[in-house]
Amino acid sequence: MTDKITVEKIQEVRHLNSLDFFARQIVEGFITGLHRSPFHGFSVEFAEHRAYNNGESVRFIDWKLYGRTGKLFVKRFEEETNLRCQIVVDTSSSMFFPTEKNVNKLQFSAYASAALIHMLNRQRDAAGLSLFDEQLQFHTRARMSKNHIQTLYARLDELLKLKYEPKQRKLTRISDVLHQIAEAAHKRSLIVIFSDMFENEDAANLFNALEHLRYNKHEVIVFHVHDRQYEEALVLEDRPHRLIDMENGEEMKLKPQEVRKLYGEQMRAFYEQIRKKCLQYKVDFVTADINEPFDKVLTSFLARRSRMF
């Protein structure tokens, strides 16, 4: 069985090729796994077989089926759907956590975004990209052209090379950005958001922004990108630690064993509040642990896409 692909596996051979290469590896590995999972029969692009007619192109002949049956069949594919997907990535300072590992939340988001772009492209759907911290730093509307897709890969590749700079801390203003995207994105787009949800404002502002997206007829998936080991379970050595807020520089000294239970309860309560609000607005809220394979991201995306058509 094909191994599930995680960011750490990609990092092991990162020097070998470009981001679009790894995007293909993620997607192809995922699709292979679909046919050996409870999602059997769920198709990404393939629709059905039909008999081969003499004289037509052999490009889409299913040679594996020929080997089993001795007959020539051609793969038929779904028609173009013209789905427009706007991928929104949080690039604030907290997304560089954890700094002591090879993989951080920003890198996970970049790879996952690249995989979605590849999947959209193979389905003949359009992809756009928005990057933000305190404000919208980059935005391009969804398109399908080859040059456009390569531009998106190049922009995401730049994110992989960024390093955390304590002297250049960037806050998160996700609510302001989502209001802008609600108006700027193509009508009835699928908005896919990658963020750790560490908003520097009242949570009500975030909920208002999500409501704005839905009011403008956009479909929305929020991927809560986090390192569960540290950010939810607080798995640290039981000794005194000095924790520093990566966005505002505030410091706190604590002993994990004294606050672990209360911390976990409060974090879970906070995210449960967001999850319930998303459910109220018919927004998919998906936890995306950076230590896990990309399967949950891709499966959630396909599930939402299938409900749109």
Side-chain angles (χ1 to χ4, degrees):
M1 183 173 180
T2 304
D3 290 337
K4 293 182 178 180
I5 299 177
T6 63
V7 174
E8 288 194 350
K9 288 185 178 181
I10 291 176
Q11 289 282 346
E12 292 174 2
V13 291
R14 174 74 182 105
H15 63 285
L16 294 181
N17 217 311
S18 59
L19 183 58
D20 57 342
F21 169 80
F22 292 107
R24 289 196 300 272
Q25 299 305 302
I26 293 169
V27 173
E28 299 305 327
F30 169 73
I31 292 173
T32 299
L34 280 179
H35 301 292
R36 303 175 182 176
S37 74
F39 294 96
H40 180 72
F42 185 91
S43 173
V44 176
E45 189 177 14
F46 171 71
E48 60 183 350
H49 287 99
R50 65 166 175 79
Y52 172 76
N53 297 315
N54 289 334
E56 67 178 301
S57 173
V58 299
R59 179 182 178 187
F60 296 116
I61 287 178
D62 190 331
W63 295 108
K64 291 184 178 179
L65 185 60
Y66 173 75
R68 295 196 301 270
T69 66
K71 298 179 180 179
L72 293 175
F73 291 92
V74 175
K75 293 181 179 180
R76 296 184 64 184
F77 299 87
E78 298 288 353
E79 297 295 328
E80 293 183 13
T81 60
N82 294 321
L83 169 69
R84 292 184 175 92
C85 178
Q86 192 70 31
I87 299 172
V88 184
V89 181
D90 181 352
T91 63
S92 61
S93 294
S94 63
M95 292 292 286
F96 288 86
F97 182 83
T99 56
E100 72 278 8
K101 283 186 176 181
N102 291 330
V103 180
N104 61 42
K105 293 181 287 188
L106 184 58
Q107 290 171 326
F108 178 94
S109 300
Y111 281 117
S113 298
L116 291 185
I117 289 169
H118 177 72
M119 185 171 285
L120 287 160
N121 192 41
R122 66 175 280 146
Q123 292 174 149
R124 306 177 186 89
D125 294 329
L129 180 65
S130 302
L131 308 177
F132 74 95
D133 42 57
E134 298 176 61
Q135 57 188 351
L136 191 60
Q137 299 291 352
F138 175 81
H139 176 79
T140 179
R141 301 182 79 188
R143 299 184 182 88
M144 297 174 57
S145 71
K146 183 176 180 180
N147 288 341
H148 174 73
I149 297 302
Q150 290 304 315
T151 297
L152 301 189
Y153 283 139
R155 198 74 190 202
L156 291 170
D157 197 48
E158 291 176 7
L159 298 184
L160 298 175
K161 301 171 184 177
L162 293 178
K163 302 295 183 182
Y164 174 60
E165 298 290 345
K167 295 182 179 179
Q168 299 178 3
R169 292 189 177 97
K170 298 177 180 179
L171 302 177
T172 308
R173 294 274 189 256
I174 186 171
S175 57
D176 293 345
V177 168
L178 293 185
H179 281 300
Q180 293 180 57
I181 291 174
E183 297 296 334
H186 287 281
K187 292 182 179 180
R188 300 181 183 274
S189 293
L190 172 59
I191 310 296
V192 178
I193 303 165
F194 290 95
S195 175
D196 57 14
M197 309 305 292
F198 289 150
E199 172 65 70
N200 294 105
E201 298 178 309
D202 190 294
N205 294 327
L206 170 61
F207 303 145
N208 288 336
L210 292 175
E211 186 177 19
H212 188 184
L213 287 169
R214 294 294 291 132
Y215 179 81
N216 281 26
K217 308 301 182 183
H218 298 303
E219 300 289 330
V220 185
I221 309 176
V222 175
F223 287 108
H224 166 220
V225 184
H226 69 300
D227 187 326
R228 184 182 181 281
Q229 179 182 11
Y230 292 132
E231 295 181 309
E232 184 176 329
L234 199 63
V235 179
L236 298 171
E237 293 182 19
D238 289 333
R239 59 175 177 79
H241 288 265
R242 181 169 64 96
L243 304 184
I244 303 174
D245 190 306
M246 297 178 72
E247 295 198 358
N248 61 29
E250 292 184 6
E251 298 186 17
M252 176 185 296
K253 294 182 180 179
L254 57 76
K255 295 180 180 179
Q257 65 270 31
E258 295 178 352
V259 301
R260 185 175 288 121
K261 181 179 179 181
L262 178 60
Y263 171 84
E265 290 174 351
Q266 292 186 341
M267 290 299 291
R268 286 189 289 273
F270 173 66
Y271 292 122
E272 180 64 12
Q273 179 190 21
I274 298 177
R275 189 192 70 79
K276 287 182 178 179
K277 277 292 184 179
C278 287
L279 183 63
Q280 177 183 335
Y281 297 133
K282 297 183 179 180
V283 169
D284 290 354
F285 182 77
V286 184
T287 57
D289 186 347
I290 65 173
N291 302 296
E292 297 296 324
F294 294 97
D295 295 44
K296 184 178 287 189
V297 172
L298 299 177
T299 300
S300 300
F301 166 78
L302 289 175
R304 167 59 75 168
R305 182 184 184 279
S306 67
R307 293 199 295 270
M308 293 175 65
F309 298 100

